[in-house]
Each structure stands twice: as structure tokens, then as C-alpha cells.
Amino acid sequence: MSDANGANDHAAQGGSGTGPGGDQGGPAARDTGAGSAEGVTAASGAGVSGPGRHVRVVLVDDHRMFRTGVRAEIGQTDRTGVEVVGEAPDVDQAVSVITNTRPEVVLLDVHLPGGGGVEVLRRCSALMGDAEQPVRFLALSVSDAAEDVIGVIRGGARGYVTKTITGSDLVDSIFRVQEGDAVFSPRLAGFVLDAFASTDAPPVDEDLDRLTQREREVLRLIARGYAYKEIAKQLYISVKTVESHVSAVLRKLQLSNRHELTRWATARRLV
């Protein structure tokens, strides 16, 4: 569930900060298999800035403790070359702080209140297309679901790494994205190749593609066992609106109840 304090966060601008390590196996944790970004060399001293290396970064994640951990891990500018110029917990604040600060790289969570990471990408498409000062996005998420990976890549993100990545590899991934490279955790790169390189399989599930982004968010939370009131609180919508979205999802997927919906989502690894 979202950080209870996330809804009251204000998009913060400023330099590097300090704080405790992040939650959910954040950048401070050792990689357990999906973490090292493809093509990133974890050599001795990785993550330490070379001469003249500097990148301005915005953190977008609805868990405040995780943002604090990432800032503490990578935001020591004199050591890493990474300057954290802002952060945000939801879609609206993310778009605002990205527009105001014009960072070179945005670390973007996939599941956010207000429409998710895909909505941030959609609303920042003009900034991504700026030929002189492009804003590039690197997805950083606990999710390793193929649908999430493909969704943000289709939206314009330059890469996708999971939150098991080490702090040093995350710094290197940020600089690679700044330089225009595409960066993926190895297993996730396979999803992208399968979706975009294969002519035998569609890039997205046809049934899932019938759902709106908000309906997908509600579907995912229902499948994880959230009550309607909890979903309403997390997505900043009314319980009645949640009920309407659930009814629409059941109708579009031709399912009868939330138990069938949970089985459907689990089979597609959306939970």
C-alpha cells in the first residue's frame, strides 16, 4: 500500500540529502538476481563519479522512506555526480516538479497514485522530445511483471531496473540513460525483446489492452486483496468510483466476481 504520508508530501527541490535506507529492498540492498542493469560493469569503485560527470535527477515514488533511502544512497553529489533536484509521490506532483526543474533523468516508479508511471510519461512527452534538453526516464520499480515493463517502455522510458539493484549500479544506470543508452535488468530486457522484436506475439495482452490505465490499477489492487475503501484511499478516488471501475473490469473481461478476477490477474503475473 502507499506510504500513508505520501499524499501529503510536497514536491521537494534541493540538493543531496541524507536519511535511512529505503524500503522494499531498495538501492542499498545487494542484488539477488535481477538487479544489475544490463551492460553496467560493477567494477571496483562503480557508482563513483568520474571527472566532470554530473546529472540532475528527480525521484518519483509514492513511498517516502524509499525516496529518502535513494537520496541518501546516490545523492552525495561530490562522490556520485548525481544531484537530486526534486522528488514527488504522485502523478500530478511529478509532472509539476519535472516541468519546473527540467532534470536530465527521472527515476520513475510504475505504480503511482493518479494514473501510474505511464501517465507521467504521457504528460511529459513534450519534454522527452525536446531536441536540445531532453528529459529521460528510467523506471525503478519493485515490479518485474512483463506488462509493467512493456507499458512504460512503450510510453517512452529509456530503461527499467528493479529495486533490488545496488546503489552503485543505479548510479551507473542513471548516467547511461543520460547519455541516451537503454538500460534494463537482464531478465526484463527479455520481456522487451519478446514484445517488440517477435512477430509471433502481440506486444500486450489483448484482454488487458481493453482496460484503461485506471482500471488496470484497480484490477491490480483488487487482485492483491485490497478492500474498496483501501483502494479509494490509495488512488484518491471515491469508493463509488472504485465500484464502477471494478464493474467495468468484470464486464470487459467477462468475469463474474473478484475471485475470478484475482485468478485471472495471477495467471498473467499482474499481482
Side-chain angles (χ1 to χ4, degrees):
M1 293 179 64
S2 299
D3 184 348
N5 294 317
N8 296 322
D9 275 0
H10 294 288
Q13 298 183 27
S16 61
T18 58
D23 60 333
Q24 300 184 49
R30 295 302 304 170
D31 189 352
T32 57
S36 296
E38 185 178 28
V40 173
T41 303
S44 176
V48 178
S49 174
R53 291 182 90 193
H54 181 267
V55 60
R56 299 170 70 253
V57 171
V58 163
L59 309 177
V60 180
D61 193 289
D62 61 342
H63 289 82
R64 185 169 61 183
M65 286 294 291
F66 182 77
R67 297 197 311 270
T68 300
V70 172
R71 182 186 282 268
E73 182 74 18
I74 71 172
Q76 301 174 37
T77 309
D78 56 346
R79 181 179 65 86
T80 65
V82 176
E83 179 187 1
V84 179
V85 297
E87 57 183 69
D90 57 40
V91 169
D92 288 342
Q93 292 188 51
V95 173
S96 177
V97 73
I98 292 166
T99 302
N100 290 335
T101 62
R102 295 297 294 269
E104 291 151 303
V105 177
V106 177
L107 290 180
L108 180 68
D109 194 10
V110 174
H111 302 145
L112 294 168
V118 172
E119 179 65 11
V120 175
L121 292 165
R122 185 187 70 80
R123 291 168 61 179
C124 292
S125 59
L127 298 179
M128 287 188 284
D130 188 325
E132 295 184 1
Q133 190 181 354
V135 176
R136 296 188 169 102
F137 288 79
L138 173 61
L140 174 63
S141 177
V142 70
S143 171
D144 62 357
E147 188 264 337
D148 287 336
V149 178
I150 295 167
V152 296
I153 298 305
R154 291 179 73 189
R158 295 293 303 173
Y160 194 119
V161 293
T162 60
K163 289 181 178 180
T164 55
I165 193 170
T166 64
S168 59
D169 282 354
L170 180 57
V171 169
D172 286 339
S173 297
I174 290 169
F175 277 107
R176 292 195 59 174
V177 168
Q178 178 197 28
E179 294 163 1
D181 290 347
V183 180
F184 297 91
S185 296
R187 178 170 175 269
L188 307 188
F191 293 153
V192 178
L193 291 175
D194 289 344
F196 294 99
S198 173
T199 58
D200 298 327
V204 293
D205 187 297
E206 291 184 2
D207 290 331
L208 190 63
D209 205 32
R210 296 191 185 102
L211 306 182
T212 66
Q213 181 64 30
R214 177 48 58 88
E215 287 169 351
R216 295 185 192 192
E217 291 179 331
V218 171
L219 162 66
R220 197 175 281 111
L221 294 173
I222 285 288
R224 290 174 180 172
Y226 284 61
Y228 285 6
K229 288 184 178 180
E230 294 174 317
I231 297 173
K233 182 178 180 180
Q234 178 157 339
L235 299 181
Y236 306 103
I237 57 180
S238 69
V239 173
K240 184 176 181 180
T241 301
V242 174
E243 293 173 348
S244 297
H245 285 314
V246 172
S247 296
V249 170
L250 293 174
R251 183 181 69 255
K252 291 179 180 181
L253 300 181
Q254 299 183 349
L255 301 174
S256 300
N257 53 56
R258 65 181 298 163
H259 300 294
E260 291 183 1
L261 187 152
T262 299
R263 288 196 297 270
W264 187 93
T266 301
R268 286 161 175 76
R269 301 184 61 214
L270 301 179
V271 180

